[in-house]
Amino acid sequence: MRTTIHEVARAAGVSIATVSRALNGTGRIAKATRSRVLRAAQDLGYQPNDLARSLLAKSTQTIAVIVPDITNPFFPELIKGIEQVACARGHLVLLSDSADDQIRLWQDLAALRRKQVDGIIFAGARLSPDRIAAVTAGLPVVTVDRETQLATASVVQSDHRAGARLATEHLISLGHHRIAHLAGPDGLTVTAARLAGYRQALAAAGIPEEDDLVVPGGFLEEDGFRAARELLARGTGCTAVFAANDLSAIGALAAVEEAGLRVPADISVIGFDDIHLAGYIRPRLSTVRQDVVRLGARAAEVLIDHLLAEGPSRLVQETIAVDLVVRESTGPAPRMVRIPAPPTAVTPEGGAARA
Amino acid sequence: MRTTIHEVARAAGVSIATVSRALNGTGRIAKATRSRVLRAAQDLGYQPNDLARSLLAKSTQTIAVIVPDITNPFFPELIKGIEQVACARGHLVLLSDSADDQIRLWQDLAALRRKQVDGIIFAGARLSPDRIAAVTAGLPVVTVDRETQLATASVVQSDHRAGARLATEHLISLGHHRIAHLAGPDGLTVTAARLAGYRQALAAAGIPEEDDLVVPGGFLEEDGFRAARELLARGTGCTAVFAANDLSAIGALAAVEEAGLRVPADISVIGFDDIHLAGYIRPRLSTVRQDVVRLGARAAEVLIDHLLAEGPSRLVQETIAVDLVVRESTGPAPRMVRIPAPPTAVTPEGGAARA
DNA sequence: CTGAAAGCGCTTACAG
DNA sequence: CTGAAAGCGCTTACAG
């Protein structure tokens, strides 16, 4: 049994009210009483029980973070940023890695509410705005990478569109005309924003879009691998690829090599994110850097500001700038386009594949 | 203001005790009353407040997970496993990414206790057993990758020593004699265990150890990069490198390439972990696979079992097997050893470096 | 400056 | 089967 305020009160010979005041430094209290109480608390190893405290205060100093897949390197960085400011501002973080599983998400969300979290950071969610609203009803919410007309949520996100434009313009400036895009997962605003930026850049350069050059993909290595293989099999003669993110770019790199082509001599590849590994793999990956830790930090700051504000606070819509990082995976467009022999492309497992 | 049990009681025309029983399905209750209460709760959107519940129950159904750096791909996988079973068994996860910062760790640990978490999973901690004991006093603890004589903690971990032996034996079987080891961070039992396995394999093969071939490193790409560069500069003529983990192996790969050597033709490199990317980078990384998600799942299971057990439960000491994964970064020892010109090795930034 | 009392939102013996 | 009461561990007016 843990020591309670009653034990401390008895040991110090005062009432529990006095102990509470001494410990919290609230209200007038005699110096002597105060130190007597402090001593007693110390001696007994007393630790206040936040459950009781929170029950009164109607605040738990806890925020929930919901992510779809903590295994994707984007989210740990985001969480790092969130944790940093949460800790600094006296909050704890309750984590749910469930957003990609509707059942579990629902379950976790309910549990989180019952636990009386003060607010929620929703990252990379595939939930529709109204469902989010329904579930979080009343709780302050900050979404990351999820533009939404949600009347109750602030949004913090990187400037995906500008980043995609940057990446595409970089390829154009290297002389590429036939530039492919391996898109992100369906139904995410990030996916749409990056596609839009890609299109914008093409349009601005007067390069006509070709449907064949946009391939559905995803955020994992295997998504990029598959998408790139599909792209190569189409025989579009593209000389550059803008991948949905770094992981898919790395998958694309593997597919290109599989096809017997070289990066960047035959095909340039650029990603998005600038994960830590991007500078270590060969060829070093050109990419668009987003400051994910800062993104998380800002999300937490915005949320905690909401919590501190009396009444309904003004919602925030914040966009964070991104940078182009040029490394080795992008280079000048080749004079002559080498076309791989698609029918018998080798799979990574060593077998033969047919598109 | 959220609806409380009182509102529901009034709406259903019963006492709060009855509401409680109806909602929890405990005790005898008339069918009609029960459904009347359920309706009312439904209509009012009633959600019980777990703070009050936990105050009585002396259990919050919440476990804390403490990691040193969530950005290291090992930990997200671990957390994924933990989350899966925690969720399945009705527990929530409170996360603290503070173990590498003593101040914050201390602070978080205190906050976690006040929040009345039911137990703690301590992963990759650099804290001494007695300090852990002091802080967690009384709480069930499971440590991951941290053998400790801690009388109060169970341990779940991969078989690092066996894995290191596997990796080293693999290199030996390829004809390598001069095998280097880029060690992990100082003071971690994982580091010691992997070093021990490496030594065991050498000894078993009758290969004498050389101090020059063991280089202090770490778990990050830059650690592996630096360590490998240092190793190359020593001119030891080694033909194979067993790196502390995959990230450091990838750093080593970069350093080897920097020095103008080829992998595996000139030098073989093997890592530890089998992160998802290992099969996608070029050359594909040979490594030792540990099932980190399972590790996390087991840690959570063991902890929750402790929570459910009446009284002090028997501590568990569980070791999970690992596998050798051979890909492309390891190959036969070269006939002739190529030695790089150390004095002017090129840095990744393009400048000249001196060791 | 300090204590007795009420109350946060629940659960659970104890009566009836 | 149901309700009144006590109590979980605190904080905070309200008196004094």
Side-chain angles (χ1 to χ4, degrees):
Chain A
M1 204 74 317
R2 293 210 243 274
T3 20
T4 73
I5 202 175
H6 288 97
E7 269 103 58
V8 179
R10 177 144 7 114
V14 295
S15 75
I16 59 165
T18 300
V19 173
S20 175
R21 287 187 282 250
L23 258 27
N24 294 311
T26 92
R28 329 239 104 261
I29 209 175
K31 269 243 174 65
T33 332
R34 194 178 134 77
S35 52
R36 200 143 37 90
V37 171
L38 260 30
R39 266 212 68 102
Q42 180 80 279
D43 292 348
L44 296 170
Y46 172 73
Q47 287 278 82
N49 181 331
D50 273 356
L51 294 176
R53 236 198 258 243
S54 296
L55 199 52
L56 276 302
K58 272 142 187 33
S59 151
T60 54
Q61 307 276 89
T62 303
I63 63 182
V65 176
I66 302 179
V67 301
D69 176 17
I70 195 175
T71 265
N72 177 328
F74 176 84
F75 296 106
E77 293 218 29
L78 190 77
I79 292 172
K80 177 141 238 153
I82 293 172
E83 269 267 336
Q84 278 167 4
V85 345
C87 183
R89 299 184 62 172
H91 286 250
L92 246 30
V93 169
L94 221 28
L95 179 73
S96 165
D97 177 29
S98 63
D100 253 5
D101 177 338
Q102 296 295 312
I103 311 278
R104 272 192 57 195
L105 173 58
W106 210 250
Q107 198 178 325
D108 274 15
L109 234 19
L112 256 14
R113 291 205 56 117
R114 284 197 304 265
K115 285 253 158 23
Q116 314 296 118
V117 298
D118 291 342
I120 300 185
I121 295 179
F122 226 95
R126 214 179 285 265
L127 221 54
S128 65
D130 37 316
R131 293 200 77 187
I132 298 186
V135 162
T136 58
L139 279 186
V141 175
V142 174
T143 65
V144 175
D145 275 350
R146 199 159 208 319
E147 284 182 74
T148 160
Q149 307 82 318
L150 201 54
T152 55
S154 285
V155 184
V156 174
Q157 64 184 151
S158 287
D159 196 339
H160 302 293
R161 180 176 320 201
R165 218 186 310 122
L166 240 37
T168 311
E169 285 168 358
H170 166 61
L171 295 171
I172 294 172
S173 77
L174 286 168
H176 296 275
H177 295 294
R178 308 187 62 77
I179 301 172
H181 177 47
L182 313 184
D186 278 347
L188 257 41
T189 54
V190 204
T191 298
R194 292 185 190 169
L195 178 58
Y198 158 82
R199 288 190 167 140
Q200 252 177 42
L202 291 184
I207 301 178
E209 267 181 59
E210 290 179 51
D211 288 349
D212 258 14
L213 290 176
V214 175
V215 190
F219 280 156
L220 302 180
E221 294 92 331
E222 35 271 55
D223 298 323
F225 182 83
R226 252 183 261 119
R229 197 158 62 171
E230 154 98 25
L231 176 72
L232 262 19
R234 286 183 187 171
T236 57
C238 76
T239 62
V241 173
F242 165 43
N245 70 350
D246 285 351
L247 254 28
S248 90
I250 289 172
L253 247 29
V256 169
E257 189 232 20
E258 241 37 277
L261 301 175
R262 289 156 311 156
V263 175
D266 299 315
I267 291 199
S268 286
V269 174
I270 188 167
F272 204 113
D273 279 352
D274 196 26
I275 61 177
H276 198 227
L277 270 165
Y280 282 93
I281 60 164
R282 297 299 126 116
R284 291 183 184 84
L285 190 67
S286 295
T287 187
V288 176
R289 165 160 177 66
Q290 47 172 335
D291 190 343
V292 184
V293 174
R294 188 150 85 88
L295 208 60
R298 280 303 299 156
E301 275 163 8
V302 168
L303 182 61
I304 296 178
D305 285 347
H306 283 343
L307 303 183
L308 264 37
E310 313 284 310
S313 51
R314 179 189 269 104
L315 295 182
V316 174
Q317 179 102 17
E318 192 166 306
T319 302
I320 294 182
V322 298
D323 303 303
L324 178 68
V325 179
V326 177
R327 295 203 180 90
E328 303 167 350
S329 64
T330 47
R335 294 301 183 77
M336 289 231 294
V337 176
R338 288 183 59 198
I339 301 200
T344 55
V346 177
T347 71
E349 293 73 44
R354 307 207 131 247
Chain B
M1 206 74 320
R2 294 209 241 274
T3 21
T4 73
I5 202 174
H6 288 98
E7 269 104 57
V8 180
R10 177 143 6 115
V14 296
S15 74
I16 59 165
T18 300
V19 173
S20 175
R21 285 188 283 252
L23 259 27
N24 295 311
T26 92
R28 331 239 103 260
I29 209 174
K31 270 244 173 66
T33 332
R34 194 179 135 76
S35 52
R36 199 145 36 89
V37 171
L38 260 31
R39 268 213 65 103
Q42 180 81 281
D43 291 348
L44 295 170
Y46 171 73
Q47 288 278 80
N49 181 332
D50 273 356
L51 293 176
R53 233 198 259 244
S54 297
L55 199 53
L56 276 302
K58 273 142 186 34
S59 152
T60 53
Q61 306 278 89
T62 305
I63 63 181
V65 176
I66 302 180
V67 301
D69 176 18
I70 196 175
T71 265
N72 176 328
F74 176 84
F75 295 106
E77 294 219 28
L78 191 77
I79 292 172
K80 178 141 238 152
I82 293 172
E83 270 267 336
Q84 277 167 3
V85 346
C87 183
R89 299 184 62 171
H91 286 250
L92 247 28
V93 169
L94 220 27
L95 178 73
S96 165
D97 177 29
S98 62
D100 253 4
D101 177 338
Q102 296 296 312
I103 312 278
R104 272 191 58 195
L105 173 58
W106 210 250
Q107 198 178 325
D108 274 15
L109 234 19
L112 256 15
R113 290 207 55 118
R114 284 197 303 265
K115 285 253 160 19
Q116 312 299 116
V117 298
D118 290 342
I120 301 184
I121 295 180
F122 226 95
R126 213 180 286 267
L127 221 54
S128 65
D130 37 314
R131 293 200 76 186
I132 298 186
V135 163
T136 59
L139 278 186
V141 175
V142 173
T143 64
V144 175
D145 275 351
R146 201 161 206 315
E147 283 182 74
T148 159
Q149 306 83 318
L150 202 54
T152 54
S154 285
V155 184
V156 175
Q157 63 183 153
S158 287
D159 197 339
H160 302 292
R161 182 177 319 202
R165 217 185 311 121
L166 241 37
T168 311
E169 284 167 357
H170 166 60
L171 296 171
I172 293 171
S173 77
L174 286 168
H176 295 276
H177 295 294
R178 308 188 62 78
I179 301 173
H181 177 47
L182 312 184
D186 277 346
L188 257 41
T189 54
V190 204
T191 299
R194 292 185 189 168
L195 178 58
Y198 158 81
R199 287 190 169 140
Q200 251 175 44
L202 291 185
I207 300 177
E209 267 180 57
E210 289 180 52
D211 288 350
D212 258 16
L213 290 176
V214 176
V215 190
F219 280 156
L220 302 181
E221 294 93 332
E222 36 270 55
D223 299 323
F225 183 84
R226 252 183 260 119
R229 196 160 61 171
E230 154 98 24
L231 175 73
L232 262 19
R234 286 183 187 172
T236 56
C238 77
T239 62
V241 173
F242 165 43
N245 70 350
D246 285 352
L247 255 27
S248 90
I250 289 171
L253 249 29
V256 169
E257 189 232 19
E258 241 36 279
L261 300 175
R262 290 155 311 158
V263 175
D266 299 314
I267 291 198
S268 285
V269 174
I270 188 166
F272 204 113
D273 279 352
D274 196 25
I275 60 177
H276 198 227
L277 269 164
Y280 282 94
I281 60 165
R282 296 300 126 112
R284 291 183 183 83
L285 190 67
S286 295
T287 188
V288 176
R289 166 159 176 67
Q290 47 172 335
D291 190 342
V292 184
V293 174
R294 188 151 84 87
L295 207 61
R298 281 303 299 156
E301 275 164 6
V302 168
L303 182 61
I304 296 177
D305 285 348
H306 283 344
L307 303 183
L308 263 38
E310 313 284 309
S313 53
R314 181 188 268 103
L315 295 182
V316 173
Q317 179 102 17
E318 193 166 307
T319 302
I320 294 182
V322 298
D323 302 305
L324 179 68
V325 179
V326 178
R327 295 203 181 89
E328 304 167 349
S329 65
T330 48
R335 295 301 183 76
M336 286 231 294
V337 177
R338 287 183 61 197
I339 301 201
T344 54
V346 177
T347 70
E349 291 74 42
R354 309 207 129 246

